[in-house]
């Protein structure tokens, strides 16, 4: 399945942030190539070929291969942060908000698994400035989940001794879905999201 056909809750991945169309095609091609071969093994010729363009055409839109990875990483982390921030700010108990956050975060990593693999696992290929920018977004992602867990502990809903460590475990569990999820498997992204939400609530000792 191509990146353009990946689904999460039945939605298409539009990459609407990326214009013009040629730049979008190159970005989608880069995601597929990076996920399949890894960043370092992928050449700009590989990316251009997948997009049906010449290598020279790529440089009109992206100065370097790293610029493509940075753009992919930025968009992906912005989306991850949006998903968790939306869940964290919903009405409801900490238990409800954590379940919603985990379910939606897992659905994204399953439904957009090709994109998520690149976003989550190619960070070290970025240069210092770009990497620092993405790490700052990751800290915000961590803060959103940690905030919900802290709310649950304060309200007596969760039994958590190490909030920081538990937050890391929750995020690691969710992110790893991108490694193994198979669209032809027995579970849908929604089913995996529901399963992981239940597992995480058990992890924090939620009092249902």
């Amino acid at each position: 399945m191509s990146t353009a056909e990946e689904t999460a809750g039945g939605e298409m991945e539009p990459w609407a942030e990326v214009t013009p169309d040629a730049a979008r095609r190159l970005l989608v091609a880069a995601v597929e190539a990076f996920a399949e071969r890894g960043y370092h093994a992928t050449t700009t010729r590989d990316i251009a070929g997948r997009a049906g363009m010449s290598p020279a055409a790529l440089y009109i839109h992206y100065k370097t291969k790293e610029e493509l990875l940075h753009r992919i990483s930025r968009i992906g982390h912005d989306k991850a942060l949006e998903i968790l921030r939306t869940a964290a700010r919903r009405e409801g108990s900490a238990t409800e908000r954590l379940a919603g956050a985990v379910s939606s975060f897992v659905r994204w990593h399953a439904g957009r698994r090709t994109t998520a693999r690149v976003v989550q696992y190619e960070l070290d290929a970025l240069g210092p400035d770009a990497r620092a920018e993405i790490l700052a977004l990751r800290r915000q992602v961590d803060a959103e989940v940690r905030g919900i867990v802290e709310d649950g502990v304060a309200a007596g809903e969760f039994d958590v001794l190490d909030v920081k460590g538990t937050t890391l475990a929750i995020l690691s569990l969710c992110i790893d879905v991108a490694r193994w999820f198979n669209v032809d498997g027995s579970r849908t992204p929604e089913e995996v999201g529901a399963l992981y939400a239940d597992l995480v609530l058990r992890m924090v000792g939620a009092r249902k």
Side-chain angles (χ1 to χ4, degrees), residues 110-176:
R112 306 278 196 265
R113 67 204 174 283
T114 305
T115 299
R117 282 200 299 271
V118 176
V119 168
Q120 299 292 1
Y121 297 115
E122 293 289 356
L123 177 64
D124 288 342
L126 292 172
D129 291 344
R131 190 171 187 274
E133 178 186 317
I134 300 304
L135 285 174
L137 287 171
R138 288 194 175 202
R139 286 192 290 272
Q140 292 180 59
V141 165
D142 181 275
E144 293 298 334
V145 176
R146 189 172 66 251
I148 302 174
V149 176
E150 289 172 342
D151 288 348
V153 171
E157 295 179 47
F158 302 158
D159 182 13
V160 176
L161 296 178
D162 183 348
V163 171
K164 182 177 179 181
T166 300
T167 299
L168 176 60
I170 292 169
L171 288 171
S172 298
L173 190 68
C174 296
I175 288 168
D176 198 58

Side-chain angles (χ1 to χ4, degrees), residues 25-35 42 47 50 68 72 118:
R25 284 164 50 203
L26 286 163
L27 185 140
V28 169
V31 169
E32 294 172 351
F34 293 158
T42 298
I47 296 167
R50 284 173 181 261
L68 261 168
I72 293 163
V118 176

Side-chain angles (χ1 to χ4, degrees), residues 156 178 202:
R202 293 172 185 270

Side-chain angles (χ1 to χ4, degrees), residues 70-82:
H70 180 212
R71 185 84 168 111
I72 293 163
S73 296
R74 178 69 203 223
I75 292 172
H77 280 86
D78 281 342
K79 180 60 178 177
L81 182 57
E82 176 191 342

